[in-house]
Amino acid sequence: AMVAARRRALAGVNCQQSGLRVLGTPERQPMKILHVIATPRGEHSQTLPFSRAFLGHLAKVRPDLTVQELDLSTTTLPTIDDTIASTKYRLMQGLPVDRDAARTWPFVEALIEDFVSADLCLITTPMWNFGLPHQLKHWIDCIIQPGYTFSFEGGYPSPLVQGTSMVCITSRGSDCSPSGPMGAYDFQEPYLRAIFGFIGVTDAEFVHAQPLDHPVLREQAHADAMAAVEKLAAAPRWAA
C-alpha cells in the first residue's frame, strides 16, 4: 500500500523513456529532506550530533521543512541478488521488469522515489576503513538504476536526477583532509561525489568532523564541525 501511494503521488511527474518509467520530482513546498543515517550506533554515534545540529539550525531558516529518516541499521534493504542484478541488466537493454522481480522490485522503486522526491538528501556517515559503511553502499546500489536515476541509451549513461541537492556529514578518526597527513586515504568523499554526480546530483556539500580520535585535537575538531554545520545551515541558498 505504501509503495502504491508513493507511485500515485509521483504519477503526475513521471515520463516515459524507452518504455521505462522515469521518476521525477514533485512540487518543492514544503522543503523535503531525506536523512539517510549510515551509522549503526544510534545515540552513541559521533556523527549524528552534527547532523542533528544542522537540521536544528536549518529549521530556523526553513520552518516548513519535513524530514524523512532512513536509518540503514534498522531498515531491511532489498538483497542485491541475481534477480535484482538481472533486472538491472534487463533495464539497461530496454527490457521491462520481468515476473521474477515482481515481488522485490517495488521495494527498490520505493527507495528511489523517496530519494528523487527530496529537495535535499542529508547523508550521515562515519568513515569506515577509509570508505563507506556497507549499509550505505547497499542503499546506493539499490537506487542507482537505469531508467530511474540514469539512462543508458546507445551504450552511454546520462543522469536523470534533477532538483535534488546533497549534504554529507561525516566523522573520521584521523585527519583525511586533502592537506592532512591521511589525505591520500580518503576514498569516501571522492566516491560519493562521483556516484551521485553520475546520476545528476552535483550540488553537494561536505562537512567532515576530523580527527575525532586524536586525544589533543579532538575537542577543536568537534567545535570546528559544529561551527561548519551552523554556517552551512545559515547559507542564503536555503531561504524560502
Side-chain angles (χ1 to χ4, degrees):
M2 292 179 63
V3 173
R6 291 188 179 98
R7 286 176 176 167
R8 287 193 296 271
L10 291 172
V13 292
N14 291 341
C15 61
Q16 296 293 328
Q17 182 169 342
S18 300
L20 296 177
R21 193 164 68 90
V22 182
L23 302 179
T25 319
E27 292 297 324
R28 296 298 187 155
Q29 296 297 331
M31 181 182 186
K32 178 183 175 182
I33 298 176
L34 175 64
H35 185 191
V36 180
I37 301 173
T39 170
R41 301 192 64 208
E43 296 307 312
H44 300 289
S45 168
Q46 294 191 96
T47 325
L48 265 176
F50 302 107
S51 294
R52 301 286 192 221
F54 171 73
L55 290 172
H57 291 304
L58 186 58
K60 299 175 184 177
V61 180
R62 291 295 299 266
D64 62 332
L65 68 79
T66 60
V67 180
Q68 176 186 355
E69 283 195 355
L70 177 62
D71 189 338
L72 299 179
S73 67
T74 59
T75 301
T76 302
L77 299 175
T79 301
I80 308 297
D81 55 11
D82 180 54
T83 300
I84 296 295
S86 296
T87 299
K88 186 166 189 171
Y89 282 112
R90 286 180 61 85
L91 293 174
M92 291 177 67
Q93 297 170 33
L95 300 174
V97 176
D98 62 14
R99 293 181 179 179
D100 291 340
R103 289 196 303 174
T104 56
W105 196 252
F107 295 103
V108 173
E109 286 189 324
L111 292 170
I112 296 171
E113 289 175 357
D114 287 340
F115 173 71
V116 301
S117 65
D119 299 297
L120 171 66
C121 179
L122 170 62
I123 295 179
T124 298
T125 180
M127 174 181 276
W128 282 7
N129 297 321
F130 311 119
L132 309 181
H134 65 89
Q135 299 98 325
L136 180 55
K137 180 60 167 59
H138 187 175
W139 173 73
I140 291 172
D141 288 340
C142 287
I143 68 169
I144 308 296
Q145 299 293 347
Y148 293 86
T149 50
F150 73 97
S151 66
F152 196 81
E153 293 187 343
Y156 296 95
S158 60
L160 290 179
V161 179
Q162 298 180 0
T164 298
S165 57
M166 183 172 70
V167 169
C168 295
I169 298 178
T170 82
S171 62
R172 287 101 175 268
S174 299
D175 183 358
C176 293
S177 59
S179 60
M182 301 289 287
Y185 292 90
D186 183 3
F187 298 99
Q188 185 184 61
E189 180 177 340
Y191 172 75
L192 289 171
R193 285 192 182 277
I195 192 61
F196 283 99
F198 172 76
I199 61 174
V201 183
T202 56
D203 182 5
E205 300 278 358
F206 285 77
V207 175
H208 303 303
Q210 58 185 3
L212 292 187
D213 288 346
H214 195 288
V216 177
L217 301 179
R218 172 186 172 86
E219 184 175 344
Q220 186 60 51
H222 189 280
D224 289 345
M226 280 297 184
V229 298
E230 182 176 5
K231 180 179 179 180
L232 179 58
R237 58 176 297 176
W238 309 118

PDB file of all heavy atoms in Angstrom, residues 2 23 26 62 76 88 145 198 202 221 228-229 239:
ATOM      1  N   MET A   2       1.948   1.244   0.782  1.00  0.00           N
ATOM      2  CA  MET A   2       2.830   2.397   0.843  1.00  0.00           C
ATOM      3  C   MET A   2       3.496   2.649  -0.501  1.00  0.00           C
ATOM      4  O   MET A   2       3.631   3.793  -0.941  1.00  0.00           O
ATOM      5  CB  MET A   2       3.890   2.195   1.921  1.00  0.00           C
ATOM      6  CG  MET A   2       3.340   2.187   3.322  1.00  0.00           C
ATOM      7  SD  MET A   2       4.623   1.912   4.552  1.00  0.00           S
ATOM      8  CE  MET A   2       5.650   3.353   4.307  1.00  0.00           C
ATOM      9  N   LEU A  23      11.233   8.452 -12.843  1.00  0.00           N
ATOM     10  CA  LEU A  23      10.623   9.129 -11.710  1.00  0.00           C
ATOM     11  C   LEU A  23      11.135  10.555 -11.620  1.00  0.00           C
ATOM     12  O   LEU A  23      12.322  10.797 -11.640  1.00  0.00           O
ATOM     13  CB  LEU A  23      10.946   8.371 -10.410  1.00  0.00           C
ATOM     14  CG  LEU A  23      10.488   6.917 -10.420  1.00  0.00           C
ATOM     15  CD1 LEU A  23      10.875   6.259  -9.114  1.00  0.00           C
ATOM     16  CD2 LEU A  23       8.995   6.824 -10.642  1.00  0.00           C
ATOM     17  N   PRO A  26       8.355  16.074  -7.407  1.00  0.00           N
ATOM     18  CA  PRO A  26       7.113  16.822  -7.246  1.00  0.00           C
ATOM     19  C   PRO A  26       7.369  18.272  -6.850  1.00  0.00           C
ATOM     20  O   PRO A  26       8.499  18.704  -6.779  1.00  0.00           O
ATOM     21  CB  PRO A  26       6.408  16.060  -6.124  1.00  0.00           C
ATOM     22  CG  PRO A  26       7.530  15.517  -5.316  1.00  0.00           C
ATOM     23  CD  PRO A  26       8.626  15.187  -6.299  1.00  0.00           C
ATOM     24  N   ARG A  62      14.167  27.440   7.525  1.00  0.00           N
ATOM     25  CA  ARG A  62      13.064  26.831   6.780  1.00  0.00           C
ATOM     26  C   ARG A  62      12.140  26.084   7.731  1.00  0.00           C
ATOM     27  O   ARG A  62      12.204  24.855   7.863  1.00  0.00           O
ATOM     28  CB  ARG A  62      13.604  25.867   5.714  1.00  0.00           C
ATOM     29  CG  ARG A  62      14.339  26.534   4.571  1.00  0.00           C
ATOM     30  CD  ARG A  62      13.395  27.409   3.749  1.00  0.00           C
ATOM     31  NE  ARG A  62      12.326  26.641   3.151  1.00  0.00           N
ATOM     32  CZ  ARG A  62      12.377  26.144   1.914  1.00  0.00           C
ATOM     33  NH1 ARG A  62      13.431  26.336   1.157  1.00  0.00           N
ATOM     34  NH2 ARG A  62      11.350  25.469   1.426  1.00  0.00           N
ATOM     35  N   THR A  76      15.462  -2.947   6.476  1.00  0.00           N
ATOM     36  CA  THR A  76      15.824  -4.109   5.665  1.00  0.00           C
ATOM     37  C   THR A  76      15.777  -3.715   4.198  1.00  0.00           C
ATOM     38  O   THR A  76      14.702  -3.505   3.629  1.00  0.00           O
ATOM     39  CB  THR A  76      14.871  -5.284   5.925  1.00  0.00           C
ATOM     40  OG1 THR A  76      14.915  -5.620   7.317  1.00  0.00           O
ATOM     41  CG2 THR A  76      15.280  -6.498   5.099  1.00  0.00           C
ATOM     42  N   LYS A  88      18.469  -5.181 -13.432  1.00  0.00           N
ATOM     43  CA  LYS A  88      19.240  -4.001 -13.843  1.00  0.00           C
ATOM     44  C   LYS A  88      19.764  -4.166 -15.267  1.00  0.00           C
ATOM     45  O   LYS A  88      19.691  -3.237 -16.082  1.00  0.00           O
ATOM     46  CB  LYS A  88      20.398  -3.767 -12.871  1.00  0.00           C
ATOM     47  CG  LYS A  88      21.170  -2.481 -13.130  1.00  0.00           C
ATOM     48  CD  LYS A  88      22.061  -2.158 -11.954  1.00  0.00           C
ATOM     49  CE  LYS A  88      22.672  -0.772 -12.092  1.00  0.00           C
ATOM     50  NZ  LYS A  88      23.376  -0.348 -10.879  1.00  0.00           N
ATOM     51  N   GLN A 145      19.777   2.986 -10.602  1.00  0.00           N
ATOM     52  CA  GLN A 145      19.119   2.058 -11.515  1.00  0.00           C
ATOM     53  C   GLN A 145      18.825   2.735 -12.860  1.00  0.00           C
ATOM     54  O   GLN A 145      18.377   3.885 -12.892  1.00  0.00           O
ATOM     55  CB  GLN A 145      17.801   1.541 -10.909  1.00  0.00           C
ATOM     56  CG  GLN A 145      17.953   0.783  -9.604  1.00  0.00           C
ATOM     57  CD  GLN A 145      18.696  -0.538  -9.756  1.00  0.00           C
ATOM     58  OE1 GLN A 145      18.904  -1.016 -10.869  1.00  0.00           O
ATOM     59  NE2 GLN A 145      19.101  -1.120  -8.639  1.00  0.00           N
ATOM     60  N   PHE A 198      27.194  11.160 -11.040  1.00  0.00           N
ATOM     61  CA  PHE A 198      26.856  10.288 -12.164  1.00  0.00           C
ATOM     62  C   PHE A 198      25.361  10.303 -12.470  1.00  0.00           C
ATOM     63  O   PHE A 198      24.944  10.225 -13.628  1.00  0.00           O
ATOM     64  CB  PHE A 198      27.324   8.864 -11.840  1.00  0.00           C
ATOM     65  CG  PHE A 198      26.871   7.812 -12.817  1.00  0.00           C
ATOM     66  CD1 PHE A 198      27.466   7.687 -14.060  1.00  0.00           C
ATOM     67  CD2 PHE A 198      25.849   6.930 -12.482  1.00  0.00           C
ATOM     68  CE1 PHE A 198      27.053   6.711 -14.960  1.00  0.00           C
ATOM     69  CE2 PHE A 198      25.424   5.952 -13.370  1.00  0.00           C
ATOM     70  CZ  PHE A 198      26.032   5.847 -14.620  1.00  0.00           C
ATOM     71  N   THR A 202      24.994  17.078  -8.502  1.00  0.00           N
ATOM     72  CA  THR A 202      26.304  17.730  -8.491  1.00  0.00           C
ATOM     73  C   THR A 202      26.385  18.841  -7.455  1.00  0.00           C
ATOM     74  O   THR A 202      27.463  19.363  -7.186  1.00  0.00           O
ATOM     75  CB  THR A 202      26.623  18.305  -9.884  1.00  0.00           C
ATOM     76  OG1 THR A 202      25.560  19.191 -10.280  1.00  0.00           O
ATOM     77  CG2 THR A 202      26.745  17.179 -10.916  1.00  0.00           C
ATOM     78  N   ALA A 221      38.348  19.794  16.842  1.00  0.00           N
ATOM     79  CA  ALA A 221      37.705  19.234  15.650  1.00  0.00           C
ATOM     80  C   ALA A 221      36.193  19.211  15.818  1.00  0.00           C
ATOM     81  O   ALA A 221      35.442  19.500  14.873  1.00  0.00           O
ATOM     82  CB  ALA A 221      38.229  17.820  15.394  1.00  0.00           C
ATOM     83  N   ALA A 228      30.850  24.587  11.418  1.00  0.00           N
ATOM     84  CA  ALA A 228      30.672  24.400   9.977  1.00  0.00           C
ATOM     85  C   ALA A 228      29.223  24.072   9.618  1.00  0.00           C
ATOM     86  O   ALA A 228      28.687  24.591   8.636  1.00  0.00           O
ATOM     87  CB  ALA A 228      31.604  23.303   9.465  1.00  0.00           C
ATOM     88  N   VAL A 229      28.571  23.217  10.412  1.00  0.00           N
ATOM     89  CA  VAL A 229      27.173  22.876  10.097  1.00  0.00           C
ATOM     90  C   VAL A 229      26.254  24.066  10.363  1.00  0.00           C
ATOM     91  O   VAL A 229      25.265  24.264   9.641  1.00  0.00           O
ATOM     92  CB  VAL A 229      26.694  21.620  10.865  1.00  0.00           C
ATOM     93  CG1 VAL A 229      27.510  20.398  10.468  1.00  0.00           C
ATOM     94  CG2 VAL A 229      26.715  21.829  12.366  1.00  0.00           C
ATOM     95  N   ALA A 239      17.087  29.691   1.949  1.00  0.00           N
ATOM     96  CA  ALA A 239      15.953  30.566   2.238  1.00  0.00           C
ATOM     97  C   ALA A 239      14.798  30.286   1.294  1.00  0.00           C
ATOM     98  O   ALA A 239      14.976  29.998   0.118  1.00  0.00           O
ATOM     99  CB  ALA A 239      16.385  32.022   2.115  1.00  0.00           C
TER     100      ALA A 239
END
